[in-house]
Amino acid sequence: MISSDATNTAAAPGAAVTKRLQSELMQLMMSNTPGVSAFPEADNLLSWAATIEGPVGTVYEGLTYKLSMRFPMTYPYNAPTIKFETPMYHPNVDTAGNICLDILKEKWSAVYNVQTVLLSLQSLLGEPNNDSPLNGQAADLWCSICLFDP
């Protein structure tokens, strides 16, 4: 027979993730941050649909991009998996929508939340990291444009 303490301990990680994601959803909804949004898909709090608008003054201005966000049961100690669902041409996004952004990999910290990640992705659109491209052709094009930009 499993004691109630053992059962509560086993359920605690899932409960902690649920509580954190519910809190982040409320924070995102209350902040009304322009250009970013995210909501859980159906009844699955670990799977979200998000959107980011292209930053003003970039080639992405006026465009809206859909993303998928998948949260591990170890969130926030491990980063969510985020992919662009809307096709896009960018040095740090491959043709499958995978993203190369350090805070989604080795620089992840539990202090990040959905809002900060979406704002970082929005910023990445206008300021790619050409030192670590997923799309070499887009990185080369970006560099050639920067050389001619006054």
Side-chain angles (χ1 to χ4, degrees), residues 47-91:
S47 179
W48 292 28
T51 61
I52 58 173
E53 294 176 8
V56 175
T58 70
V59 296
Y60 305 102
E61 180 177 357
L63 302 173
T64 300
Y65 293 92
K66 293 182 181 180
L67 300 100
S68 63
M69 304 180 79
R70 306 291 179 256
F71 298 91
M73 289 300 294
T74 53
Y75 182 80
Y77 304 106
N78 294 100
T81 301
I82 303 175
K83 289 179 69 168
F84 276 90
E85 298 299 328
T86 304
M88 75 123 45
Y89 192 72
H90 187 276

Side-chain angles (χ1 to χ4, degrees), residues 29 47 53 55 65 120 128 132 136 145:
M29 290 171 55
S47 179
E53 294 176 8
Y65 293 92
S120 294
S132 182
I145 290 171

